Amino acid sequence: MRIDGAIALGGEGPKAALCPGCLDAGSRDDASCAHCGTLRHLRGRYWLDALLGAKGSARTFRASDSANGERAVVVKELALHGAKGWKEVELFERSVKVLRSVADVTPGIPRYVDHFDTSRGGEIRYYLVQEWVPGESLSARLDSGERFDEARARAIALDLLGTLAALHGLSPPVVHRDVKPANIVDRGPGTEIEARPRYVLIDFDLVQDRLRPDGGSTMSLGTAGYAPLEQLMGRALPASDLYGLGATLIALLSREEPAELYDPTLQRIAFRERVHVGSAFADLLDRLVAPSVEDRYASAVEVKEALAASPSTALARTDAAAPATERASAPDDDNDDASTRIARRAPPAPAPLSYRTQETGKAIAALMGSLIGLIAFSTIVIGALQPPPLVAGALVLGSIYAIFALARRQVGVILRRHDAAQLPAAQPPRALPPRKGPSKRREKREEKRPAKPVVVEVGVGLEGIEIAASTAAEVLEVFGDDCTCYSYDKDDISGPELRADPELATRARVWKISYDYDAAGEYMPSRPANRRRPAAALIDSKTGLVRQLELGVYQSEIVTAEGLAQTSTLDDLVALYGEDHEFEGGGTLDKYRYPERGLEVWVNPETEIVNSFRIFAPTGD
């Protein structure tokens, strides 16, 4: 049995389920897996039916919710043991929070069902449960040979624009950051009459729910060809989703990846010769994928208005490509005269050439004319004067160079004139924000001053904060409350808020205290204070006690009691802690885990330099 390209259970009846641990197929009647001993259900109600995909430490399943009449759901799993870093955990937790908050905002996204975490053998796994949206992704439709015309592209755009308008209209706006055919599910013709659109936007793994115009992101996220430059540089905006929508429509119409259509000369996606759409719709697509944010539409609502105002000149599809419901409503050629049928079936006129293309063509034509004239003139002069061959050659080459230089200058003038006309009106310069904190001179003086390193005891703790013994409130007392506290049952909690009410740690199920962001949400990993305190403290949401301490790349003044630091090499690691470790590689970083010592170290495989490390309670305790 196959579900949208994924291997599923088959032939074992409704009581079959996959083991969450080893994926062994077995009966629900068996409480635990016979191979690994893991419980076959999640939270006593979710039974895994199929593995839909896996990437790194994340897996996605289709499952059945036995508490709701075997309702089909999607279960996303993130294993902390295999995560590439805290950023991956933060993205997962952010997607949970966003889906919970926007569940009732728009029907164009999967509905949130549940989220929880489990711990098996000391290994923590996070789960997000969403509604299962039946249908196929648009990328699967492309792979199956389905073709899309302008009418279909307009319908897709209208559905997604409604969804994006709802997400971008929140405060702060919710930016999806990964709009592409693979993340759009087509529920099939005839579903438009229901209470939700036919095309549903899925996969909120890269969602962003806060805007950082200063570019304070640590990762360049998105899919090549569908993510604009500002997003790849760490500055995702609502207009970035509009770019992804435009690139998606181009991919559907041209059946080619946008990255393959990118023209480095024009610095944009050159698609007009690959699609058959009306000039009005082509202009709309051009503006959606404009390289500059200022040249795109201001909002999804504005795009919807422009789409409604532009005439539709879609090509009529063949009966084989059109859905049955649309073929039934197609006009009858037998009742039309010959001229009407020919007019309907005739392809539209090709889109007019752009201004840049026309003017560049004129300049090239002028260059060729001048070159022909030069050759004729040189032939006459050389024939009349009969100069030495060296002088004649120099005369011809000098004239050719002069003609080419003049033509190149003329083309440059044309293109600069066109680009200047497309630039937005000049904006007055923004006032600089007031300076905060110590002066740069003082910071440099403090950087030069040698500091005594902070010693962390592997498997024990740091600065009096002990693993499995210290509380979240004690973490704030020792390391400060300029942090953000992530919770399962509440939006992000500020450090001062948790410090004023320590019981909030267990009441709201706080699972992480992050010093990457301060109480105001400002990104701050490189501040001097962060060199001597952990990047984050992982909290047991049930007991409120510290579970792990993460020491990232900015904790340069923290070393272990044995001497492991950020500048240590792989050889140093093995010399200090031995070769009796668990190894996991294949990603951007290699992981070396010493469970009996309570240490996990991440190493750059190219430089063999330590990137970061975590301490936790040893498995022998």
Side-chain angles (χ1 to χ4, degrees):
M1 180 179 178
R2 190 167 289 272
I3 300 176
D4 196 12
I7 303 298
L9 291 173
E12 300 187 47
K15 294 297 183 179
L18 296 177
C19 169
C22 64
L23 300 184
D24 175 65
S27 173
R28 290 193 191 179
D29 296 333
D30 299 329
S32 301
C33 176
H35 290 80
C36 66
T38 303
L39 291 176
R40 285 202 173 274
H41 58 76
L42 294 172
R43 215 173 194 181
R45 56 187 287 191
Y46 303 113
W47 302 86
L48 305 183
D49 299 328
L51 175 64
L52 301 180
K55 182 178 181 181
S57 60
R59 299 187 298 182
T60 303
F61 300 91
R62 176 176 174 174
S64 299
D65 183 1
S66 59
N68 286 282
E70 300 296 331
R71 176 182 60 174
V73 294
V74 172
V75 176
K76 292 190 174 184
E77 174 195 77
L78 177 66
L80 182 62
H81 176 73
K84 295 181 180 179
W86 284 110
K87 192 65 180 178
E88 191 171 359
V89 180
E90 287 181 11
L91 287 172
F92 188 87
E93 182 63 22
R94 186 184 300 168
S95 67
V96 172
K97 185 181 75 171
V98 169
L99 283 173
R100 288 185 63 185
S101 62
V102 304
D104 300 325
V105 173
T106 172
I109 63 175
R111 297 183 181 93
Y112 165 86
V113 177
D114 192 8
H115 77 281
F116 54 93
D117 65 282
T118 64
S119 178
R120 297 195 297 269
E123 183 177 356
I124 303 168
R125 295 176 183 268
Y126 301 97
Y127 292 93
L128 167 64
V129 185
Q130 302 170 256
E131 167 199 21
W132 166 264
V133 180
E136 275 191 305
S137 67
L138 294 184
S139 62
R141 293 288 175 89
L142 280 173
D143 293 340
S144 65
E146 187 168 337
R147 296 187 175 274
F148 295 79
D149 60 10
E150 180 180 337
R152 184 84 175 278
R154 283 175 174 266
I156 295 170
L158 285 173
D159 279 0
L160 293 181
L161 287 169
T163 300
L164 293 177
L167 296 176
H168 296 169
L170 298 173
S171 182
V174 172
V175 183
H176 186 275
R177 298 204 293 185
D178 202 18
V179 179
K180 59 183 179 181
N183 288 341
I184 301 169
V185 172
D186 181 3
R187 301 192 302 126
T191 56
E192 302 89 340
I193 61 175
E194 301 175 8
R196 68 189 313 175
R198 171 177 173 177
Y199 301 97
V200 177
L201 184 62
I202 64 171
D203 199 349
F204 280 70
D205 292 347
L206 301 185
V207 69
Q208 174 178 296
D209 64 336
R210 65 180 76 187
L211 296 184
R212 303 192 184 281
D214 59 348
S217 174
T218 60
M219 299 177 69
S220 296
L221 297 171
T223 302
Y226 299 92
L229 179 60
E230 75 273 3
Q231 179 176 326
L232 297 178
M233 297 297 292
R235 182 173 173 257
L237 303 169
S240 306
D241 283 347
L242 299 182
Y243 184 100
L245 173 60
T248 296
L249 298 176
I250 291 172
L252 297 175
L253 292 166
S254 66
R255 299 183 58 80
E256 295 186 56
E257 286 295 323
E260 298 175 359
L261 300 177
Y262 184 80
D263 188 332
T265 303
L266 301 177
Q267 296 186 353
R268 65 181 305 143
I269 301 174
F271 64 90
R272 287 182 177 263
E273 295 181 358
R274 304 299 182 92
V275 300
H276 297 285
V277 296
S279 59
F281 193 61
D283 292 341
L284 183 140
L285 294 177
D286 244 336
R287 188 170 173 186
L288 281 175
V289 296
S292 174
V293 176
E294 291 77 10
D295 293 339
R296 290 178 221 146
Y297 290 97
S299 66
V301 175
E302 184 181 350
V303 184
K304 289 185 67 175
E305 294 174 352
L307 196 60
S310 63
S312 176
T313 56
L315 292 171
R317 286 172 294 180
T318 63
D319 288 344
T325 54
E326 299 180 21
R327 294 200 302 269
S329 60
D332 188 2
D333 286 347
D334 295 338
N335 297 328
D336 297 332
D337 55 23
S339 61
T340 304
R341 292 195 298 269
I342 293 174
R344 181 185 296 125
R345 296 173 179 171
L353 295 176
S354 66
Y355 172 83
R356 292 169 65 108
T357 303
Q358 295 179 31
E359 294 302 317
T360 304
K362 293 178 182 178
I364 293 175
L367 169 64
M368 296 302 296
S370 302
L371 188 59
I372 294 173
L374 173 64
I375 294 174
F377 175 77
S378 300
T379 302
I380 295 173
V381 171
I382 294 174
L385 300 179
Q386 295 184 352
L390 186 62
V391 176
L395 176 63
V396 172
L397 291 177
S399 302
I400 292 176
Y401 175 79
I403 291 295
F404 269 103
L406 181 62
R408 180 180 178 184
R409 179 179 179 276
Q410 184 61 27
V411 171
V413 170
I414 292 172
L415 298 185
R416 283 195 297 272
R417 187 185 305 157
H418 173 260
D419 291 342
Q422 302 300 314
L423 291 175
Q427 300 294 326
R430 293 186 298 175
L432 293 175
R435 178 185 294 177
K436 297 180 181 180
S439 65
K440 293 184 177 180
R441 181 178 299 175
R442 179 180 174 184
E443 288 182 351
K444 290 182 178 179
R445 189 165 60 248
E446 291 180 353
E447 289 178 358
K448 294 180 180 179
R449 184 181 303 162
K452 184 179 180 180
V454 179
V455 177
V456 56
E457 295 184 61
V458 174
V460 179
L462 170 69
E463 293 284 88
I465 298 300
E466 297 183 9
I467 305 295
S470 299
T471 64
E474 290 173 336
V475 172
L476 302 183
E477 289 290 340
V478 174
F479 300 120
D481 59 9
D482 52 335
C483 59
T484 299
C485 306
Y486 297 96
S487 162
Y488 284 126
D489 299 332
K490 191 177 180 181
D491 291 338
D492 295 351
I493 301 172
S494 67
E497 185 180 358
L498 180 59
R499 192 169 188 174
D501 185 9
E503 295 182 359
L504 192 60
T506 54
R507 192 167 66 248
R509 296 201 300 160
V510 171
W511 66 275
K512 177 185 175 184
I513 298 176
S514 172
Y515 286 99
D516 284 350
Y517 297 96
D518 62 12
E522 182 179 352
Y523 190 68
M524 48 171 280
S526 59
R527 289 187 177 178
N530 277 25
R531 301 172 192 165
R532 304 178 66 83
R533 65 185 179 186
L538 196 64
I539 307 297
D540 189 320
S541 60
K542 297 178 182 178
T543 64
L545 299 179
V546 176
R547 191 165 57 195
Q548 289 187 8
L549 292 177
E550 163 140 353
L551 307 170
V553 294
Y554 293 99
Q555 283 63 52
S556 57
E557 297 179 14
I558 298 179
V559 299
T560 68
E562 294 78 13
L564 185 70
Q566 299 293 343
T567 56
S568 299
T569 65
L570 178 58
D571 291 338
D572 296 333
L573 173 64
V574 175
L576 292 173
Y577 298 102
E579 298 182 358
D580 186 16
H581 55 69
E582 299 174 359
F583 173 77
E584 183 177 330
T588 56
L589 296 174
D590 290 341
K591 182 170 65 177
Y592 297 83
R593 183 179 175 87
Y594 295 85
E596 296 182 356
R597 287 179 172 267
L599 175 66
E600 189 174 84
V601 184
W602 300 83
V603 177
N604 187 321
E606 296 182 359
T607 62
E608 294 191 346
I609 300 295
V610 171
N611 177 273
S612 58
F613 52 93
R614 301 175 186 167
I615 61 172
F616 51 89
T619 55
D621 291 355

